Amino acid sequence: MTVVHLRGGGVSVLVDADGPGLPCVLHWGDDLGPDLAVEVVVLALRPAVQRAAADQPVPLSLVPERGVGHRGRPGLVGSRGGLAFSPVFALQACDLTKGGARFRASDAAAELAVETELELDATGLLRVRHTLRNDGSESYALHELACVLPVPDRGAELFDLTGRWLRERHPQRHPFTFGTHLREGRHGRTGHDATLLLCAGTPGFGNRTGEVWGVHLGWSGDHLSYAERGPAQQSVLGAAELLAPGEVVLGPGQTYTCPWMFAAYSRAGLDGISRSFHRFLRARPTHPTAVRPVVLNTWEAVYFNHDLPTLKALADVAAEIGVERFVLDDGWFTARRDDTRGLGDWHVDDEVWPHGLTPLAEHVTGLGMQLGLWFEPEMVNPDSHLVRHHPDWVSGVPGRPQPAWRHQQVLDLTNDEAYEHLLDRLDTLLTDVPVSFVKWDHNRDLMEAADADGRPSVHAQTLAVYRLLDVLRSRHPGVEIESCASGGARVDLGILARTDRVWASDTNDALERQTIQRWTGLLLPPELIGSHVGPPRSHTTGRVHDLSFRVATALFGSFGFEWDLTRTAPDERRQLAEAVATYKRLRGLLHSGDVVHGDVPDPSARLHGVVARDGATAVFAYVQLTSSPLERPSPVVLPGLDPERRYDVRVLDVAGGPRLLQRTEPPWLTAGSIQLSGQALATVGLALPVLRPEQALLLELRPA
């Protein structure tokens, strides 16, 4: 009997590869131990045969097949002119790899072959993907190739995310009922409403409690994810690239490899899911190793009004408070005085910048800061030199461009001439200007992307963007890239394999950001999430927030500013400089420790923090989002601490600290600090002051 048992990070994956058909995942979940009697487990899990059903138990293989009796969504959908629509694969080989396995199977009659890769790393994160090969003499039209994993029926509650522009990544829950819960993203990018992670868990699972199984598709184009349960089949989670009709047609001998599906299991709630993803990402050889610099982005400071003296004055104030990276946003290139023209003409505007960007670059670098530059390479304005000279480079069905979006069309990067032109312009600019950082924007959906022949092209466009990023990174290895897509519309592990952080949202409203950043952090660690302090009145919502709340919100990310700092008063600048110094002191912890979230019973409040991997230090934020139904909050327990350690707990004042709604403080706060064990802090907890709505109290824990 051939049974593969993968173990790592407290997770086991048990795969029945005994044949004759495709391998089946028998268990994905808690570690089963090193001395597992796999044959006995296989026997224990073998189901009975029901009346009025197939005469043999129907397996749930790695590529679920209709041809063996599977009645749910098939793993492979396609045909060869209506034939070979329902292959039944025979297993040919099973090869163990470091931390994983590779299975090869084929169907001689359908003239198809499939190879499946499973990898389980030391963090407990599982990766799955398939490669399909056409062994026939005629083309095979592929519609879908999905990765599918079983979850036990006790995972009876579903969780995923949705959202919109300026309100990305908000959670939703519902029972895992019979049927299919299908989420499709047809944006040509990941989307503001993207699932991010589709999770099944034991009913009522929380931040730190319950079993949870979650999947994420590492792909930046159209995609789908689903949870399915039926009376005659196991519950499953699946994901796939969403292909348009005719988008992938395999000629003889050609292959298609689906995106990696990443899968995490946790016995300790959603924080366990995040821990696996965070540790996996931090272990990548491409993960940023330099400290995450303090950023000033110029967008909400000057918008399109570029003027060298104004920008130099802004850079002076930025350097004064400790900013380390100065990013020149939209408006520096030819004719770009608003968002209706110029996009695609990647030449420095001679009228605004008669001496090029060199004077600004020299001033910024002379102040000890890095220079960053904004691009939106994949888009064009119809009112541009590029489109006037090359209208055939615009993506869309011939004779019918895509519907306009923010006065933009899409540059067809599947066109070799367009691709090479763009690569040359970006390469030249990154060579001529001392740029250390690129803000790579993507401000519209691809609603009807098509190549020059009129064929759907989201798949090819996405691969072309990946190739473009890979080439530029190889030529300019010192340049970091941020994935910005009208805020957070391209957040996935496909784009993160080629970029160094994401811009989580176009809103810097601290109240909105509390939710956006919390759920972006379900997948990404803080150092990969751009988080900036905006002006007192939010550009996007009109809300007014105290500086302390804005700073406390931005602190738990890749910190920076989106604000005209020349308009700040001297006392405000002093507070900003102190906030920057606090971030610089804490970023080693914030960007390496375990992110934790408390299960606070008060729905008006939120508790989150970062605990050092060795448990020695921690920083927590208790956030009052709205007014509380309670006159005073219950004692707050601090999760994730070392129960054996003794901690000195102090309030961390940033930018003036929060405003309170009380006559007296808790006695420990009046005394300045308190010393308690991690066990006491995690069980008995700590009384906190009563906060006004939209305020945050920061706590720093050090060894006592």
Side-chain angles (χ1 to χ4, degrees):
M1 179 176 287
T2 303
V3 180
V4 176
H5 185 197
L6 306 178
R7 298 177 63 232
V11 173
S12 278
V13 178
L14 198 64
V15 185
D16 181 355
D18 206 37
L22 287 170
C24 303
V25 174
L26 303 176
H27 171 82
W28 162 46
D30 212 349
D31 190 0
L32 298 175
D35 302 318
L36 183 69
V38 292
E39 296 85 356
V40 178
V41 173
V42 172
L43 180 63
L45 293 176
R46 189 163 294 162
V49 175
Q50 290 291 93
R51 297 187 179 215
D55 291 342
Q56 297 293 328
V58 177
L60 177 69
S61 72
L62 287 166
V63 184
E65 301 160 295
R66 287 178 289 193
V68 298
H70 179 72
R71 287 176 278 173
R73 287 177 63 95
L76 172 62
V77 181
S79 74
R80 189 177 284 109
L83 302 176
F85 74 95
S86 181
V88 176
F89 291 99
L91 184 63
Q92 294 177 316
C94 168
D95 301 317
L96 295 181
T97 60
K98 184 179 180 181
R102 182 178 291 110
F103 308 101
R104 296 192 301 275
S106 65
D107 181 339
E111 298 180 302
L112 295 170
V114 66
E115 179 177 288
T116 297
E117 300 168 79
L118 270 70
E119 296 180 1
L120 182 67
D121 78 352
T123 69
L125 195 68
L126 175 67
R127 297 199 301 171
V128 185
R129 72 176 177 183
H130 310 298
T131 297
L132 181 71
R133 187 180 71 240
N134 178 16
D135 288 340
S137 58
E138 297 179 2
S139 295
Y140 179 84
L142 176 65
H143 300 301
E144 185 176 313
L145 182 58
C147 297
V148 179
L149 288 171
V151 294
D153 287 344
R154 64 181 181 276
E157 185 176 0
L158 293 178
F159 170 99
D160 58 10
L161 303 174
T162 185
R164 59 169 175 81
W165 181 56
L166 306 181
R167 199 177 186 274
E168 296 88 340
R169 286 173 291 286
H170 278 57
Q172 57 183 12
R173 289 175 179 252
H174 57 87
F176 195 161
T177 55
F178 290 122
T180 303
H181 174 67
L182 175 65
R183 294 290 305 278
E184 294 184 338
R186 298 178 182 271
H187 304 283
R189 54 181 178 174
T190 323
H192 292 101
D193 62 341
T195 314
L196 201 70
L197 277 162
L198 175 58
C199 298
T202 50
F205 68 88
N207 291 321
R208 309 283 297 177
T209 59
E211 286 186 282
V212 186
W213 297 258
V215 299
H216 166 83
L217 192 70
W219 179 246
S220 309
D222 289 349
H223 61 281
L224 61 87
S225 55
Y226 63 91
E228 186 172 60
R229 186 181 181 201
Q233 67 189 57
Q234 285 180 273
S235 301
V236 301
L237 298 177
E241 181 183 4
L242 199 165
L243 297 170
E247 190 163 18
V248 173
V249 178
L250 301 179
Q254 291 184 334
T255 62
Y256 165 84
T257 300
C258 72
W260 284 109
M261 186 180 79
F262 297 81
Y265 163 78
S266 167
R267 69 183 64 83
L270 290 168
D271 275 1
I273 297 289
S274 296
R275 185 163 52 249
S276 291
F277 276 102
H278 293 185
R279 291 185 177 181
F280 168 81
L281 288 165
R282 286 169 170 168
R284 300 171 301 158
T286 58
H287 193 72
T289 54
V291 295
R292 299 296 81 210
V294 180
V295 174
L296 174 86
N297 191 68
T298 65
W299 178 244
E300 292 191 24
V302 300
Y303 299 101
F304 291 107
N305 301 316
H306 286 200
D307 171 77
L308 181 58
T310 299
L311 288 164
K312 289 173 71 174
L314 182 60
D316 290 340
V317 179
E320 175 190 329
I321 67 169
V323 169
E324 298 161 304
R325 176 178 283 164
F326 186 92
V327 181
L328 184 65
D329 209 291
D330 194 357
W332 55 268
F333 48 95
T334 303
R336 188 66 166 178
R337 304 283 62 79
D338 55 42
D339 66 355
T340 67
R341 53 191 171 141
L343 199 61
D345 297 336
W346 300 112
H347 297 267
V348 179
D349 192 306
D350 292 336
E351 294 184 11
V352 178
W353 301 96
H355 304 291
L357 295 177
T358 300
L360 179 66
E362 290 179 346
H363 188 76
V364 167
T365 56
L367 291 168
M369 295 186 293
Q370 300 173 354
L371 179 67
L373 201 57
W374 179 94
F375 292 93
E376 191 174 359
E378 300 157 69
M379 306 302 157
V380 293
N381 289 132
D383 186 1
S384 64
H385 291 303
L386 184 142
V387 173
R388 283 190 286 273
H389 287 86
H390 301 283
D392 56 315
W393 289 4
V394 175
S395 172
V397 175
R400 187 181 72 219
Q402 297 186 50
W405 182 306
R406 202 186 173 196
H407 313 289
Q408 293 180 185
Q409 290 292 336
V410 180
L411 183 64
D412 180 11
L413 294 181
T414 70
N415 182 305
D416 291 341
E417 291 183 350
Y419 176 92
E420 291 298 332
H421 168 82
L422 181 59
L423 174 59
D424 176 70
R425 290 308 312 140
L426 298 180
D427 185 29
T428 299
L429 283 162
L430 294 180
T431 300
D432 293 346
V433 183
V435 173
S436 301
F437 175 82
V438 168
K439 181 177 180 178
W440 187 295
D441 216 336
H442 182 297
N443 275 314
R444 65 156 293 163
D445 283 1
L446 278 60
M447 294 176 288
E448 198 181 30
D451 63 18
D453 296 325
R455 296 183 179 278
S457 64
V458 169
H459 173 78
Q461 180 86 0
T462 305
L463 292 179
V465 172
Y466 285 173
R467 186 169 70 254
L468 180 64
L469 286 165
D470 290 342
V471 172
L472 288 172
R473 288 175 70 90
S474 68
R475 294 183 184 180
H476 305 277
V479 176
E480 293 189 352
I481 300 175
E482 175 185 73
S483 172
C484 176
S486 48
R490 188 152 66 181
V491 176
D492 62 82
L493 297 194
I495 203 69
L496 258 299
R498 297 159 174 88
T499 54
D500 301 281
R501 77 172 202 172
V502 301
W503 184 230
S505 178
D506 274 347
T507 185
N508 287 306
D509 180 310
L511 183 62
E512 298 290 343
R513 276 279 182 154
Q514 281 288 332
T515 297
I516 292 167
Q517 290 174 195
R518 188 275 173 263
W519 296 113
T520 304
L522 182 64
L523 182 71
L524 304 183
E527 64 269 26
L528 297 182
I529 303 172
S531 181
H532 292 179
V533 178
R537 182 176 294 278
S538 170
H539 162 82
T540 55
T541 66
R543 285 196 191 101
V544 176
H545 288 130
D546 290 348
L547 180 59
S548 65
F549 185 56
R550 284 141 54 210
V551 169
T553 299
L555 189 68
F556 290 85
S558 184
F559 184 80
F561 299 93
E562 195 102 4
W563 185 5
D564 184 358
L565 298 178
T566 64
R567 296 175 179 267
T568 55
D571 185 60
E572 203 168 23
R573 292 185 194 180
R574 178 188 57 77
Q575 290 183 324
L576 291 175
E578 291 173 355
V580 168
T582 298
Y583 168 75
K584 291 179 178 179
R585 179 173 65 82
L586 294 176
R587 62 186 165 188
L589 164 63
L590 294 170
H591 298 164
S592 66
D594 288 330
V595 177
V596 298
H597 299 85
D599 287 305
V600 180
D602 182 351
S604 71
R606 181 171 293 157
L607 176 74
H608 67 94
V610 180
V611 180
R613 290 286 296 271
D614 64 2
T617 58
V619 177
F620 285 89
Y622 183 82
V623 185
Q624 194 68 49
L625 300 172
T626 63
S627 61
S628 174
L630 305 174
E631 288 189 3
R632 57 180 175 83
S634 302
V636 173
V637 297
L638 304 182
L641 300 172
D642 182 346
E644 303 300 323
R645 287 184 182 269
R646 193 169 180 82
Y647 294 93
D648 181 78
V649 185
R650 296 174 182 266
V651 170
L652 178 61
D653 283 325
V654 293
R659 290 183 291 164
L660 308 180
L661 275 173
Q662 59 189 45
R663 286 186 292 177
T664 63
E665 296 178 338
W668 76 267
L669 192 55
T670 304
S673 69
I674 192 169
Q675 295 185 355
L676 288 169
S677 69
Q679 180 70 26
L681 288 166
T683 53
V684 178
L686 196 62
L688 296 184
V690 182
L691 302 180
R692 292 178 183 268
E694 300 172 22
Q695 299 284 306
L697 182 76
L698 301 184
L699 301 174
E700 185 173 7
L701 281 66
R702 298 181 183 178

